[in-house]
Amino acid sequence: MRPVSLAELRDAVRDTDGTLLVMGAGTAEGWAGAPDPTDHVLETTGLTGVIAYNPADMTVAVRAGTPLTTLQQELADAGQRICLDPARTEATIGGLVATADSGPLRHAYGGPRDLLIGVTVVLADGTVARSGGHVIKNVAGYDLGKLLCGSFGTLGVIAEVVLRAHPLPPASRTVSILCDAAEAVTHTGLVLEARLEPAALEWCDGELLALYEGVESSVERRATATPGGTTLSVADAEAAWRRVTAVSDRDLVVRCGTRPSQLAVVAKHATSMTSSAAVGVHTLGVTDVDGLRAEFPQVTVLRSPPGIQAWGEPHAAVPLMRAVKQRFDPDGRLGPGRYRPWF
Amino acid sequence: MSLTDLRDELTARLGRDGLVTDPAHLRTYECDALTGYRVVPALVALPRDAAEVAAAVAACAKHRVPFVARGAGTGLSGGALPVADGVVISLQRLRRVVEVDPVDRRATVEPGVTNLDISRAAAKYGLYYSPDPSSQQVCTIGGNVAENSGGAHCLKYGFTVNHILAVDVVLPDGTATRLGGDAPHQAGFDLLGAFVGTEGTLGIVTSVVVRLLHTPATVRTLVANFDSTKEAGDAVTAVIAAGIVPAAIEMMDNLAIQAVNAAVDAGFDPDTAAALIVELDGPADEVEARFADLTRLCAKATGVTIARDAEHRAKIWQGRKAAFAAVGRLSPNYFVQDGVVPRTRLGEALTRIAEMGDEAGIQVANVFHAGDGNLHPLVLYSEERGEHERAEALSTAIAELCVELGGSLSGEHGIGTDKACSMPRMFSADDLDTMRRLRAAFDPEGLCNPGKVFPTPRLCGERPGPYRPHPLEAAGVIERL
């Protein structure tokens, strides 16, 4: 099924029986546990395009099947962007929300949950529900958008999202500090204490990258002022950031959240790793997921070969996740197999 | 449900000084800062730690008695309004700063710690806790989590939800759990994000891990005067459209300035129609370049004052943050509204509010977070002159106007008791039912802060307000299926 409007999507969910797999661009199909075969596959790639964009308000409402790159091009014409830079650039906006995916800009801007200000979702019984709205500050009602972040298509079908946009920076610089994982923690502290305000601070396989964004004179000065750093040429910077995204191409890739100071301990488990060093969010290639999970419980398996169990021991909040799933999708229609063995 | 049995059980568990039963003393808990709603609770529990909170909640659950968590009672939407024949669980004794970790830039605190005390505890490391509600000297972090509190500096740095890493929660059945973790990446649904801002309806927080930020390298603040609130609003739009993300942009109209000047010597021009406080922070050269743009964009200002030093800046902010209290000098009673409009519709909203005030014969002062469109109209009235109902109607109409303009009923104060009956103006029955599914997952018995956020027949009458199409729906931007 490939609906092209909210009404068609609602009908597709409401007027069919059986299990449903929600699929965007398919770039994260195996994440969080391979889905079981379902009665239907619901593709969201027909739900595309901007619904409302007023640059002066710096908010944009977009259909969930819109690829991030398409949206970014549209916003760039108005000098704006969504501060979300996942490795999967071809992914859809809805897919990025459902997977809670993000990239190095999480250092300054957080992830989808921090940029999402409104959502429209179709529940397993065909109910269409909205929460949030079109303004950046809003505490009216529960924030269902955040609940859907990391739901991997198991709670509802994300139909539309409203996002906060930011201005495109006039200039940027990338600085490289060659250091091992343990030194990265020290260097991270130095950059932060120097109040250099990087937009990203990412350690990737022996190199700490500081991204500065802002006015030309300031980014140049901050780049030069970075302790132990070398400013990269445009080409070298692009290559460095490509190495960051390339970590996600490994056969078995996980994302893990820890205290930032644990970076070097996490790195011991990695065949290749990129970390938002001040945030404590690591994306790494591993050979032994269980070994990592034994030390750090907050692990999500992204890409994996068959036979890898996506989730470890249920953590304290898993009973609540089950209770939420029960209320939103009591018959288990959506994404069966995801979150196994928790669901 | 047996209150006598519950009282005996709570006394056994918390001790005599862990429970308030005396009617006169109970009365001090009858309302929060929205004083128009008052309900005396049957009991107040004063637990000393997380285990006692869990025991109090478990006892309430066992006896099926509703309970309401309470921090400092500074909430402006009646979110901590007690339930008659229910229990208030005060978190005032849980006020330890458990840990400040300068290496991982975070603090672990109990819910009764005040917002400002977190920054005070972090200051020696050059760190601070960013969200800064105007009540930050007294409001508690537990209350901030419940309300997803904002503040003047949230425009650049985000709201409470963007600064919480984890919370320990006692769920409405008395079990304890943890939401969130050591980093923003969570294995599972973002239950932490879903929990923050639910106004105490999903559980009671017993410990909070907050992110700490380094204080910015440079801060520059200006006050710009304008001939009208519309011109000031246009300047806000121009600043945002120029790609500047200030740390804060606040607006005060003449009435608010008069009130502030009478209370604090902050040096605001008493004759100006409107003043903007704009603050930039960050690396020095970045701030200087943007500050030059900013002064250019305030070309229509009739006067611009630049804060000389930290002391002068503190004075300006002291004046701004004292505004609500200061308005008490202008009027014996007032309602504060908290609606949000898209930033480009600020001027229109202010004009409409002034017209509505004139029609009702009631003065409205405005002091608000202009950068994110979060209005705080202060509806001034006198109980003695019998203006209460007229003022309340105007106040509700203003909140609903914000929805009509494509915005929201509340930017930071919460829905609580105050605006629950207006929720159908903003959300459909299906929207609200879906939110209730989340509530039911956490609190199937409906014992945790009942009667808040969602409209109820008891509060709003048997019939909710008539359905009117949302303006975005009328404009074809959203569909109602």
Side-chain angles (χ1 to χ4, degrees):
Chain A
M1 298 186 288
R2 189 171 176 276
V4 297
S5 69
L6 178 58
E8 281 188 23
L9 169 60
R10 188 267 321 263
D11 292 349
V13 176
R14 191 188 55 187
D15 301 339
T16 53
D17 291 322
T19 52
L20 280 172
L21 177 70
V22 187
M23 174 108 86
T27 54
E29 198 183 345
W31 288 25
D36 296 341
T38 51
D39 298 321
H40 309 278
V41 174
L42 206 164
E43 293 177 40
T44 61
T45 48
L47 296 159
T48 56
V50 165
I51 304 162
Y53 176 39
N54 183 355
D57 283 326
M58 300 188 103
T59 61
V60 59
V62 62
R63 291 186 186 85
T66 310
L68 176 65
T69 42
T70 308
L71 178 63
Q72 297 288 34
Q73 282 159 15
E74 198 152 331
L75 298 188
D77 292 341
Q80 295 180 3
R81 63 173 171 171
I82 303 300
C83 288
L84 197 57
D85 58 344
R88 301 178 296 131
T89 49
E90 67 278 34
T92 64
I93 298 290
L96 292 168
V97 171
T99 55
D101 197 10
S102 58
L105 282 176
R106 68 173 72 86
H107 170 87
Y109 297 98
R113 54 105 76 180
D114 301 289
L115 299 165
L116 184 70
I117 57 173
V119 70
T120 304
V121 61
V122 178
L123 304 187
D125 61 7
T127 300
V128 177
R130 290 192 163 77
S131 88
H134 291 248
V135 286
I136 61 167
K137 193 175 189 185
N138 181 1
V139 297
Y142 292 172
D143 192 341
L144 299 175
K146 291 197 174 55
L147 181 68
L148 294 167
C149 289
S151 64
F152 291 98
T154 61
L155 293 181
V157 189
I158 300 167
E160 297 169 1
V161 299
V162 191
L163 298 166
R164 179 178 184 172
H166 283 85
L168 275 169
S172 67
R173 290 285 187 285
T174 298
V175 172
S176 161
I177 304 164
L178 295 175
C179 59
D180 65 26
E183 292 164 342
V185 177
T186 311
H187 280 288
T188 296
L190 290 175
V191 171
L192 296 177
E193 280 158 28
R195 270 70 170 172
L196 295 172
E197 274 196 30
L201 200 52
E202 191 80 10
W203 182 83
C204 181
D205 292 341
E207 184 177 32
L208 182 65
L209 298 169
L211 174 69
Y212 297 107
E213 296 184 335
V215 297
E216 176 66 33
S217 58
S218 173
V219 295
E220 180 64 33
R221 198 267 310 166
R222 285 188 273 161
T224 312
T226 304
T230 309
T231 305
L232 299 182
S233 69
V234 172
D236 286 349
E238 280 175 7
W241 291 112
R242 271 199 302 275
R243 288 195 291 277
V244 168
T245 57
V247 172
S248 299
D249 298 335
R250 299 271 164 156
D251 291 333
L252 176 50
V253 183
V254 304
R255 183 159 293 149
C256 172
T258 70
R259 286 190 172 234
S261 58
Q262 297 296 297
L263 193 155
V265 187
V266 179
K268 287 183 183 149
H269 295 270
T271 53
S272 178
M273 169 160 137
T274 185
S275 294
S276 291
V279 183
V281 174
H282 322 281
T283 306
L284 56 157
V286 291
T287 50
D288 175 14
V289 186
D290 291 329
L292 176 66
R293 272 199 290 243
E295 224 167 336
F296 300 103
Q298 294 283 1
V299 173
T300 301
V301 174
L302 308 185
R303 283 167 63 96
S304 65
I308 296 289
Q309 185 169 302
W311 302 99
E313 283 299 305
H315 58 66
V318 170
L320 266 182
M321 286 178 60
R322 290 184 188 127
V324 172
K325 171 74 173 172
Q326 174 64 26
R327 297 283 172 176
F328 278 72
D329 180 19
D331 301 326
R333 283 192 81 191
L334 298 173
R338 286 253 156 80
Y339 275 114
R340 179 169 292 138
W342 292 358
F343 292 172
Chain B
M1 152 171 148
S2 161
L3 277 167
T4 317
D5 291 350
L6 175 60
R7 185 170 70 181
D8 293 346
E9 197 167 326
L10 288 175
T11 308
R13 185 65 179 81
L14 305 180
R16 282 193 183 282
D17 68 340
L19 207 60
V20 177
T21 54
D22 161 52
H25 194 180
L26 284 173
R27 190 164 286 279
T28 61
Y29 293 87
E30 69 182 353
C31 65
D32 57 17
L34 184 74
T35 54
Y37 293 89
R38 291 167 196 259
V39 175
V40 180
L43 296 168
V44 176
L46 302 167
R48 298 165 192 84
D49 55 30
E52 291 194 355
V53 174
V57 171
C60 289
K62 179 177 150 194
H63 295 280
R64 295 179 178 261
V65 172
F67 55 92
V68 178
R70 180 186 171 101
T74 56
L76 290 162
S77 58
L81 182 75
V83 177
D85 298 326
V87 176
V88 166
I89 298 176
S90 166
L91 285 313
Q92 279 294 350
R93 286 180 173 174
L94 279 77
R95 50 199 324 160
R96 283 159 289 238
V97 175
V98 178
E99 184 196 20
V100 178
D101 176 352
V103 176
D104 283 320
R105 298 168 297 278
R106 61 195 57 203
T108 304
V109 298
E110 291 187 333
V113 172
T114 67
N115 173 294
L116 199 57
D117 275 347
I118 302 175
S119 290
R120 286 195 182 114
K124 63 181 163 194
Y125 305 111
L127 300 167
Y128 76 114
Y129 175 65
S130 171
D132 62 336
S134 293
S135 56
Q136 67 186 139
Q137 298 202 28
V138 281
C139 67
T140 64
I141 188 68
N144 290 178
V145 168
E147 300 297 321
N148 189 17
S149 301
H153 290 80
C154 291
L155 178 59
K156 176 173 174 184
Y157 291 104
F159 313 99
T160 300
V161 70
N162 309 112
H163 294 272
I164 304 295
L165 287 165
V167 291
D168 288 333
V169 182
V170 173
L171 296 172
D173 64 359
T175 58
T177 192
R178 166 161 274 224
L179 308 178
D182 286 341
H185 174 74
Q186 298 175 57
F189 307 157
D190 188 356
L191 291 176
L192 173 66
F195 181 89
V196 174
T198 50
E199 307 193 22
T201 59
L202 300 187
I204 300 182
V205 164
T206 56
S207 175
V208 185
V209 184
V210 303
R211 292 167 59 211
L212 301 173
L213 302 182
H214 283 278
T215 51
T218 318
V219 185
R220 295 210 67 187
T221 310
L222 66 72
V223 179
N225 297 329
F226 291 87
D227 278 335
S228 68
T229 51
K230 185 180 178 305
E231 280 187 7
D234 290 345
V236 172
T237 307
V239 169
I240 301 288
I244 302 173
V245 182
I249 312 186
E250 302 283 302
M251 195 195 293
M252 293 195 286
D253 69 6
N254 182 266
L255 208 48
I257 289 168
Q258 285 179 37
V260 166
N261 280 353
V264 178
D265 177 25
F268 295 111
D269 180 351
D271 298 320
T272 191
L276 287 182
I277 305 168
V278 189
E279 187 158 288
L280 301 184
D281 71 17
D285 32 21
E286 189 75 29
V287 169
E288 287 313 314
R290 296 302 199 176
F291 205 74
D293 294 340
L294 177 64
T295 34
R296 202 172 55 248
L297 291 163
C298 288
K300 280 196 177 169
T302 55
V304 173
T305 309
I306 295 169
R308 292 180 301 275
D309 48 28
E311 196 184 333
H312 188 190
R313 178 167 50 251
K315 210 73 185 159
I316 292 169
W317 281 112
Q318 192 192 345
R320 162 61 189 89
K321 293 190 176 185
F324 285 7
V327 163
R329 292 164 184 262
L330 293 184
S331 172
N333 311 100
Y334 62 91
F335 290 112
V336 184
Q337 270 304 348
D338 177 43
V340 188
V341 296
R343 295 179 266 213
T344 46
R345 306 195 75 173
L346 268 179
E348 189 182 349
L350 293 169
T351 306
R352 292 274 295 276
I353 290 169
E355 287 167 4
M356 290 158 71
D358 287 346
E359 271 172 40
I362 284 177
Q363 276 196 311
V364 181
N366 284 290
V367 45
F368 59 93
H369 312 301
D372 41 33
N374 185 195
L375 304 173
H376 287 320
L378 295 144
V379 177
L380 312 181
Y381 73 101
S382 161
E383 291 278 356
E384 257 180 26
R385 291 202 299 272
E387 294 170 344
H388 182 106
E389 275 184 28
R390 210 152 26 106
E392 193 174 26
L394 173 62
S395 180
T396 300
I398 289 173
E400 293 179 1
L401 167 73
C402 293
V403 177
E404 201 182 300
L405 292 173
S408 169
L409 290 169
S410 177
E412 56 187 8
H413 296 171
I415 297 300
T417 311
D418 185 34
K419 293 178 280 286
C421 298
S422 294
M423 286 289 274
R425 301 284 187 202
M426 185 162 168
F427 295 110
S428 73
D430 281 347
D431 300 341
L432 294 171
D433 284 345
T434 304
M435 294 176 193
R436 284 193 189 96
R437 294 189 197 212
L438 179 62
R439 176 170 165 79
F442 278 73
D443 182 20
E445 305 291 330
L447 293 175
C448 191
N449 208 10
K452 314 295 160 63
V453 183
F454 298 103
T456 60
R458 203 176 135 262
L459 191 65
C460 311
E462 286 303 323
R463 282 166 53 83
Y467 170 72
R468 293 191 305 200
H470 190 282
L472 293 173
E473 199 181 339
V477 172
I478 63 172
E479 302 163 73
R480 183 83 61 198
L481 299 175

